[in-house]
Amino acid sequence: MTLTHDMTEDRLLVTAQDARIDAAVAIQFKDQMRALTAHAPARVVLDLHKVMFIDSSGLGAIVGAMKQLREGQKLELAGLTPNVDKVFRLTRMDTIFTIHTDVDAALDHADG
Amino acid sequence: MTEQPDPSADFARTLQLASTPAAVRTALTQVIGMLQRSCVSDTACGMIELVIAESLNNVVEHAYRDDRTGKISLDVALLRGGVEVTIRDHGQALPDGALPVPRKPALDAARADLPEGGFGWLLIRSMTSRLVYSRKDGQNQLHLRIELNRLD
């Protein structure tokens, strides 16, 4: 489970490098996200464009990563591939997150 | 007792796997490869993979309680425009011996109370046209059917 990141004073961008966020790596994902977001700015964007498959464990880990944020921090998602997008829609978790088409759209979208 | 694959199916395979997340990944790769060689679409394969993944994860985490020495058998058949899946294990029975009653996750909760689990059966039910659980002689059996023409 590899997450790369790029941090500026305005935002932390995390890119998931694995094709799957599933039961095999859900705990590692959540643990790594906790470490990355602990000292990050208020805005955290998770780029999922390389992720082709998530199951309910992966979805739970993404929700868990959001719950680990401190008050005032926010987790946004970008680049959901079709199967991943479907999991968010079927579970209605797409109503819980701000979801951007891709990272460019996310980073152009600066909350005022 | 080994079951013979249905000879009238477009294809049928039985896989045996250990109750570990890594073995589940391997089994999914094999099953999806077989379906793709039978010209099942990528969209359909994505949903079939999800249903089988959720079902196998339930066995690993709940039937076998993460005991890595458990054995799971997975039958997959392409039959009359659908995918038939039967999963058998010798782990714990489902609570109350039955499929869980469908319930909607509470998404209007405060962030700290949002659910991180309980989505598995919702996903399985949303993509299957048939879902049957039975238990006999210490063996769980979950049978499900996914219709290939309803997955868009």
Side-chain angles (χ1 to χ4, degrees):
Chain A
M1 163 49 51
T2 302
L3 302 176
T4 56
H5 70 277
D6 164 38
M7 187 150 71
T8 69
E9 63 181 14
D10 298 316
R11 88 292 181 281
L12 169 67
L13 171 64
V14 179
T15 304
Q17 298 293 339
D18 291 59
R20 306 174 73 85
I21 304 179
D22 59 4
V25 297
I27 296 174
Q28 292 99 294
F29 173 85
K30 199 174 152 182
D31 287 347
Q32 288 191 39
M33 283 295 287
R34 182 190 301 115
L36 286 173
T37 59
H39 305 290
R43 187 160 186 239
V44 180
V45 177
L46 176 62
D47 182 2
L48 295 171
H49 82 276
K50 293 188 177 184
V51 181
M52 297 296 132
F53 178 88
I54 65 167
D55 58 15
S56 62
S57 302
L59 176 64
I62 294 170
V63 174
M66 180 176 67
K67 290 164 70 174
Q68 287 169 163
L69 300 177
R70 63 179 182 272
E71 194 171 332
Q73 255 185 328
K74 186 181 171 192
L75 176 63
E76 300 168 38
L77 309 178
L80 271 58
T81 57
N83 289 340
V84 174
D85 181 69
K86 192 152 190 173
V87 170
F88 276 83
R89 284 190 288 107
L90 285 171
T91 59
R92 298 184 53 241
M93 294 307 285
D94 58 335
T95 64
I96 300 298
F97 292 91
T98 298
I99 297 174
H100 303 279
T101 310
D102 54 34
V103 166
D104 287 344
L107 298 186
D108 285 345
H109 173 96
D111 285 338
Chain B
M1 176 177 113
T2 49
E3 309 276 341
Q4 295 303 313
D6 179 350
S8 67
D10 299 7
F11 85 74
R13 290 289 189 284
T14 297
L15 281 74
Q16 307 288 345
L17 59 146
S19 60
T20 70
V24 169
R25 277 190 173 186
T26 301
L28 291 172
T29 302
Q30 291 176 309
V31 167
I32 297 309
M34 289 189 274
L35 293 171
Q36 287 171 334
R37 288 190 289 278
S38 295
C39 298
V40 175
S41 73
D42 286 348
T43 306
C45 281
M47 293 302 102
I48 295 163
E49 182 173 8
L50 181 61
V51 170
I52 298 177
E54 294 297 338
S55 304
L56 291 176
N57 287 347
N58 281 340
V59 173
V60 170
E61 291 161 34
H62 301 295
Y64 284 126
R65 312 241 167 132
D66 295 319
D67 175 359
R68 301 166 66 85
T69 66
K71 300 281 184 284
I72 306 172
S73 92
L74 171 65
D75 290 345
V76 181
L78 191 57
L79 185 64
R80 294 190 303 272
V83 175
E84 303 266 342
V85 177
T86 302
I87 294 168
R88 298 182 180 88
D89 69 86
H90 285 91
Q92 306 264 347
L94 279 178
D96 300 325
L99 293 169
V101 175
R103 67 173 199 284
K104 287 184 182 175
L107 300 187
D108 54 356
R111 182 163 97 178
D113 300 321
L114 283 171
E116 293 176 52
F119 303 111
W121 287 111
L122 185 160
L123 290 168
I124 293 168
R125 285 186 186 281
S126 70
M127 289 177 287
T128 54
S129 61
R130 189 184 315 144
L131 185 65
V132 180
Y133 167 76
S134 59
R135 182 174 175 88
K136 186 177 173 187
D137 298 332
Q139 179 178 256
N140 294 313
Q141 179 171 298
L142 184 73
H143 177 81
L144 58 90
R145 178 177 169 88
I146 303 157
E147 303 294 336
L148 288 174
N149 63 0
R150 292 192 211 160
L151 289 176
D152 293 325

